[in-house]
Amino acid sequence: MVNMRLLWLCAATLVVLANAGTLKDTPKQRFDNYGVYKLTIRNRIQLALIEKIGEISNKYDIWKEYDEHTKEVHIMVSPEELKHFQELLRVNGISSEQMIENVQELIDGEQVTAAADSGTFGWTKYYELSEIEAWLDSVLAAYPTVTEEFIVGQSYEGRTIRGIKISHKAGNPGIFIESNIHAREWITSASATWFINQLLTSEEPAVRDLAESYDWHIVPVFNVDGFEYSHAKNRMWRKTRQPHATNECIGADANRNFDSHWLENSGASSNPCSETFAGDEPGSEPEAKALVEYLTQIKDQFSVYISFHSYGQYLLSPYGHTATEFPDNYADLLEIGEAFATAIEDLPYGTVYRYGSTADVLYVATGTSVDWVFNELDKKVAFTIEYRDLGRYGFILPPVQIIPNCEELMAGMLALIDKTKELGYI
């Protein structure tokens, strides 16, 4: 254990030095007195208005898109725009409730003090990309007989998109996990690294069986450029970092960039300044293109695909492009979803997850990785997990909630895989 810690510390130092100066020397964006509001939407005119102002990215940022069931939108508003925003709501009859008073206070609360930091990798704080990669190196070195690295491809800025395969024996069914495709969703990579650690170190019989009966292909940080930027420059950054040819806005939503009902049914945006910009064409983002090529190459090596996201507490299955059509095996997907949600709610935390198709339970979302894998690679068990919470902290989930969230992930995953096996998919 001591050698592993030393290896991690040395590797982290080297990677930090290597990456120094790769980002332009611009000040880190602050969000002092930015507020987050829950809006109740009653008609299409109100929705169109909120979606439009949400594309003015330096003043507004939609945190949670319109949910057909709750009729809610969560939106962050700059203090300079607040009076205008409140007047806009009043004139258009939109009711609101403040959820977060000062976003910067939550961001500051994420930072662990030097005194409280143990100096070893754990799950009581959030880590930067270099630290996660150094930890991954230490894991590969510590468990050489059951782990191996795989490379998905290169990002726009030239970073390597890395994954780890955990395999205890040949012939195991495969499960692929993609995490942190949206940069600001830090709880996803924290949960992915915790899950990797559990697969390798847990002595719980059920977890050992989970680890040793399946091949696990896990990408802890998929959107490497965006994730790095979210730590170095803008905590609320979501997209990739590829510039747009005809617009000053940077990046696309990589999870709207896959060639599965791309840009249909208002499930993404064609505006480069939107947080859900789908890109100029499917696969325009090097990261999405690389994942398509890699998954196609190894399509015979996995049967289940899971994408980690936050927030909202959902287990979402295809389809994302329509709420009026459902997959042929939708009853099975609902049965798996029920097992997942029940296992999590039965824990002492009592956290409630909703489950069902993306478009039916949440909103229309097109060009997603999960739908592409389901439709194009014919993997009939594919899910998006949206982690904690319901909006009290949103994307800025306090570090104290990392381990509880991870415990819920393990309980849910055990149930999900058990039910998937019972139904004959693996």
Side-chain angles (χ1 to χ4, degrees), residues 52-67:
K52 190 63 179 176
I53 67 170
E55 294 182 347
I56 309 172
S57 57
N58 63 333
K59 296 179 180 180
Y60 302 98
D61 182 4
I62 292 180
W63 279 27
K64 190 167 185 286
E65 295 173 63
Y66 178 67
D67 180 338

Side-chain angles (χ1 to χ4, degrees), residues 132-163:
I132 292 172
E133 293 195 333
W135 175 81
L136 198 62
D137 288 335
S138 72
V139 169
L140 291 162
Y143 300 92
T145 60
V146 295
T147 67
E148 63 178 285
E149 181 183 34
F150 65 87
I151 304 298
V152 173
Q154 303 295 311
S155 69
Y156 170 75
E157 292 180 342
R159 294 181 176 87
T160 301
I161 304 169
R162 303 175 63 193

Side-chain angles (χ1 to χ4, degrees), residues 4 135-136 138-148 164-168 193-203 207-208 211-212 216 218 410:
M4 187 173 173
W135 175 81
L136 198 62
S138 72
V139 169
L140 291 162
Y143 300 92
T145 60
V146 295
T147 67
E148 63 178 285
I164 183 172
K165 180 182 178 182
I166 301 172
S167 178
H168 283 82
T193 54
W194 182 91
F195 191 73
I196 290 166
N197 189 63
Q198 287 294 298
L199 291 177
L200 293 169
T201 67
S202 175
E203 296 179 0
V207 179
R208 290 271 32 92
E212 295 173 14
W216 294 89
I218 304 175
M410 183 58 79

Side-chain angles (χ1 to χ4, degrees), residues 314-317 329-347 351-357 361 383 408 411-420 422-423:
Y314 298 95
L315 182 72
L316 304 171
S317 60
N329 69 332
Y330 190 51
D332 287 350
L333 295 175
L334 288 177
E335 195 171 339
I336 296 168
E338 182 181 19
F340 177 90
T342 300
I344 292 176
E345 191 171 357
D346 284 347
L347 292 176
T351 304
V352 176
Y353 270 70
R354 291 167 57 194
Y355 59 91
S357 81
V361 171
F383 290 103
E408 290 168 350
M413 190 71 81
L414 285 165
L416 185 155
I417 297 303
D418 186 59
K419 182 60 69 173
T420 299
E422 179 186 318
L423 293 171

